[in-house]
PDB file of all heavy atoms in Angstrom:
ATOM      1  N   MET A   1      -5.163 -12.807  16.254  1.00  0.00           N
ATOM      2  CA  MET A   1      -4.231 -12.858  15.121  1.00  0.00           C
ATOM      3  C   MET A   1      -4.617 -11.772  14.118  1.00  0.00           C
ATOM      4  O   MET A   1      -5.743 -11.739  13.622  1.00  0.00           O
ATOM      5  CB  MET A   1      -4.284 -14.230  14.450  1.00  0.00           C
ATOM      6  CG  MET A   1      -3.343 -14.364  13.260  1.00  0.00           C
ATOM      7  SD  MET A   1      -3.231 -16.082  12.668  1.00  0.00           S
ATOM      8  CE  MET A   1      -4.919 -16.413  12.197  1.00  0.00           C
ATOM      9  N   ALA A   2      -3.709 -10.865  13.830  1.00  0.00           N
ATOM     10  CA  ALA A   2      -3.989  -9.749  12.936  1.00  0.00           C
ATOM     11  C   ALA A   2      -4.010 -10.209  11.484  1.00  0.00           C
ATOM     12  O   ALA A   2      -3.297 -11.130  11.100  1.00  0.00           O
ATOM     13  CB  ALA A   2      -2.933  -8.658  13.121  1.00  0.00           C
ATOM     14  N   ASN A   3      -4.872  -9.562  10.699  1.00  0.00           N
ATOM     15  CA  ASN A   3      -4.914  -9.846   9.273  1.00  0.00           C
ATOM     16  C   ASN A   3      -3.575  -9.466   8.643  1.00  0.00           C
ATOM     17  O   ASN A   3      -3.018  -8.421   8.965  1.00  0.00           O
ATOM     18  CB  ASN A   3      -6.045  -9.047   8.627  1.00  0.00           C
ATOM     19  CG  ASN A   3      -6.562  -9.709   7.369  1.00  0.00           C
ATOM     20  OD1 ASN A   3      -6.578 -10.926   7.266  1.00  0.00           O
ATOM     21  ND2 ASN A   3      -7.000  -8.906   6.426  1.00  0.00           N
ATOM     22  N   PRO A   4      -3.020 -10.288   7.765  1.00  0.00           N
ATOM     23  CA  PRO A   4      -1.710  -9.963   7.189  1.00  0.00           C
ATOM     24  C   PRO A   4      -1.785  -8.773   6.245  1.00  0.00           C
ATOM     25  O   PRO A   4      -2.838  -8.474   5.680  1.00  0.00           O
ATOM     26  CB  PRO A   4      -1.343 -11.246   6.433  1.00  0.00           C
ATOM     27  CG  PRO A   4      -2.657 -11.873   6.094  1.00  0.00           C
ATOM     28  CD  PRO A   4      -3.545 -11.564   7.251  1.00  0.00           C
ATOM     29  N   ILE A   5      -0.664  -8.095   6.088  1.00  0.00           N
ATOM     30  CA  ILE A   5      -0.537  -7.031   5.093  1.00  0.00           C
ATOM     31  C   ILE A   5      -0.131  -7.687   3.786  1.00  0.00           C
ATOM     32  O   ILE A   5       0.929  -8.309   3.696  1.00  0.00           O
ATOM     33  CB  ILE A   5       0.515  -5.989   5.522  1.00  0.00           C
ATOM     34  CG1 ILE A   5       0.177  -5.418   6.904  1.00  0.00           C
ATOM     35  CG2 ILE A   5       0.635  -4.895   4.485  1.00  0.00           C
ATOM     36  CD1 ILE A   5      -1.122  -4.654   6.949  1.00  0.00           C
ATOM     37  N   TYR A  13      -5.613 -13.804   3.794  1.00  0.00           N
ATOM     38  CA  TYR A  13      -6.392 -13.351   4.937  1.00  0.00           C
ATOM     39  C   TYR A  13      -6.137 -14.293   6.116  1.00  0.00           C
ATOM     40  O   TYR A  13      -5.594 -15.380   5.957  1.00  0.00           O
ATOM     41  CB  TYR A  13      -7.891 -13.357   4.617  1.00  0.00           C
ATOM     42  CG  TYR A  13      -8.257 -12.702   3.311  1.00  0.00           C
ATOM     43  CD1 TYR A  13      -8.418 -13.461   2.149  1.00  0.00           C
ATOM     44  CD2 TYR A  13      -8.476 -11.330   3.229  1.00  0.00           C
ATOM     45  CE1 TYR A  13      -8.774 -12.872   0.953  1.00  0.00           C
ATOM     46  CE2 TYR A  13      -8.837 -10.723   2.032  1.00  0.00           C
ATOM     47  CZ  TYR A  13      -8.975 -11.506   0.892  1.00  0.00           C
ATOM     48  OH  TYR A  13      -9.328 -10.922  -0.297  1.00  0.00           O
ATOM     49  N   ASP A  14      -6.618 -13.884   7.281  1.00  0.00           N
ATOM     50  CA  ASP A  14      -6.509 -14.756   8.441  1.00  0.00           C
ATOM     51  C   ASP A  14      -7.715 -15.682   8.581  1.00  0.00           C
ATOM     52  O   ASP A  14      -7.803 -16.466   9.534  1.00  0.00           O
ATOM     53  CB  ASP A  14      -6.316 -13.939   9.716  1.00  0.00           C
ATOM     54  CG  ASP A  14      -7.484 -13.009  10.009  1.00  0.00           C
ATOM     55  OD1 ASP A  14      -8.377 -12.874   9.144  1.00  0.00           O
ATOM     56  OD2 ASP A  14      -7.503 -12.399  11.097  1.00  0.00           O
ATOM     57  N   LYS A  18     -13.078 -14.272   4.843  1.00  0.00           N
ATOM     58  CA  LYS A  18     -12.770 -12.927   4.347  1.00  0.00           C
ATOM     59  C   LYS A  18     -12.482 -12.891   2.847  1.00  0.00           C
ATOM     60  O   LYS A  18     -12.191 -11.825   2.309  1.00  0.00           O
ATOM     61  CB  LYS A  18     -11.590 -12.345   5.125  1.00  0.00           C
ATOM     62  CG  LYS A  18     -11.914 -12.076   6.586  1.00  0.00           C
ATOM     63  CD  LYS A  18     -10.751 -11.429   7.315  1.00  0.00           C
ATOM     64  CE  LYS A  18     -11.111 -11.141   8.770  1.00  0.00           C
ATOM     65  NZ  LYS A  18     -10.002 -10.489   9.511  1.00  0.00           N
ATOM     66  N   CYS A  46       2.937  -9.921   4.853  1.00  0.00           N
ATOM     67  CA  CYS A  46       3.629  -9.534   6.079  1.00  0.00           C
ATOM     68  C   CYS A  46       2.733  -9.817   7.272  1.00  0.00           C
ATOM     69  O   CYS A  46       1.555  -9.442   7.290  1.00  0.00           O
ATOM     70  CB  CYS A  46       3.971  -8.046   6.050  1.00  0.00           C
ATOM     71  SG  CYS A  46       5.308  -7.623   4.910  1.00  0.00           S
ATOM     72  N   VAL A  47       3.296 -10.470   8.272  1.00  0.00           N
ATOM     73  CA  VAL A  47       2.564 -10.779   9.500  1.00  0.00           C
ATOM     74  C   VAL A  47       3.410 -10.366  10.696  1.00  0.00           C
ATOM     75  O   VAL A  47       4.642 -10.354  10.639  1.00  0.00           O
ATOM     76  CB  VAL A  47       2.219 -12.285   9.584  1.00  0.00           C
ATOM     77  CG1 VAL A  47       1.244 -12.668   8.492  1.00  0.00           C
ATOM     78  CG2 VAL A  47       3.471 -13.143   9.497  1.00  0.00           C
ATOM     79  N   ASN A  48       2.725 -10.019  11.765  1.00  0.00           N
ATOM     80  CA  ASN A  48       3.389  -9.597  12.997  1.00  0.00           C
ATOM     81  C   ASN A  48       3.408 -10.781  13.956  1.00  0.00           C
ATOM     82  O   ASN A  48       2.382 -11.111  14.571  1.00  0.00           O
ATOM     83  CB  ASN A  48       2.630  -8.407  13.597  1.00  0.00           C
ATOM     84  CG  ASN A  48       3.397  -7.749  14.728  1.00  0.00           C
ATOM     85  OD1 ASN A  48       4.161  -8.404  15.439  1.00  0.00           O
ATOM     86  ND2 ASN A  48       3.183  -6.467  14.915  1.00  0.00           N
ATOM     87  N   TYR A 125      -0.008 -20.072  13.240  1.00  0.00           N
ATOM     88  CA  TYR A 125      -0.756 -18.977  12.632  1.00  0.00           C
ATOM     89  C   TYR A 125      -1.037 -19.366  11.177  1.00  0.00           C
ATOM     90  O   TYR A 125      -0.099 -19.551  10.397  1.00  0.00           O
ATOM     91  CB  TYR A 125       0.040 -17.674  12.677  1.00  0.00           C
ATOM     92  CG  TYR A 125       0.503 -17.290  14.070  1.00  0.00           C
ATOM     93  CD1 TYR A 125       1.673 -17.854  14.605  1.00  0.00           C
ATOM     94  CD2 TYR A 125      -0.203 -16.381  14.839  1.00  0.00           C
ATOM     95  CE1 TYR A 125       2.107 -17.507  15.879  1.00  0.00           C
ATOM     96  CE2 TYR A 125       0.225 -16.027  16.114  1.00  0.00           C
ATOM     97  CZ  TYR A 125       1.376 -16.602  16.621  1.00  0.00           C
ATOM     98  OH  TYR A 125       1.803 -16.263  17.877  1.00  0.00           O
ATOM     99  N   THR A 126      -2.311 -19.477  10.821  1.00  0.00           N
ATOM    100  CA  THR A 126      -2.679 -19.953   9.492  1.00  0.00           C
ATOM    101  C   THR A 126      -3.360 -18.842   8.693  1.00  0.00           C
ATOM    102  O   THR A 126      -4.230 -18.123   9.212  1.00  0.00           O
ATOM    103  CB  THR A 126      -3.623 -21.169   9.588  1.00  0.00           C
ATOM    104  OG1 THR A 126      -2.961 -22.213  10.326  1.00  0.00           O
ATOM    105  CG2 THR A 126      -3.972 -21.693   8.202  1.00  0.00           C
ATOM    106  N   TYR A 127      -2.965 -18.729   7.422  1.00  0.00           N
ATOM    107  CA  TYR A 127      -3.497 -17.705   6.531  1.00  0.00           C
ATOM    108  C   TYR A 127      -3.987 -18.373   5.250  1.00  0.00           C
ATOM    109  O   TYR A 127      -3.420 -19.368   4.798  1.00  0.00           O
ATOM    110  CB  TYR A 127      -2.427 -16.658   6.227  1.00  0.00           C
ATOM    111  CG  TYR A 127      -1.900 -16.010   7.487  1.00  0.00           C
ATOM    112  CD1 TYR A 127      -0.764 -16.509   8.116  1.00  0.00           C
ATOM    113  CD2 TYR A 127      -2.559 -14.930   8.061  1.00  0.00           C
ATOM    114  CE1 TYR A 127      -0.293 -15.936   9.291  1.00  0.00           C
ATOM    115  CE2 TYR A 127      -2.092 -14.355   9.233  1.00  0.00           C
ATOM    116  CZ  TYR A 127      -0.965 -14.866   9.844  1.00  0.00           C
ATOM    117  OH  TYR A 127      -0.506 -14.309  11.012  1.00  0.00           O
TER     118      TYR A 127
END
Side-chain angles (χ1 to χ4, degrees):
M1 180 170 61
N3 206 33
I5 304 296
Y13 312 96
D14 62 351
K18 293 183 179 181
C46 288
V47 294
N48 191 330
Y125 305 83
T126 301
Y127 302 93

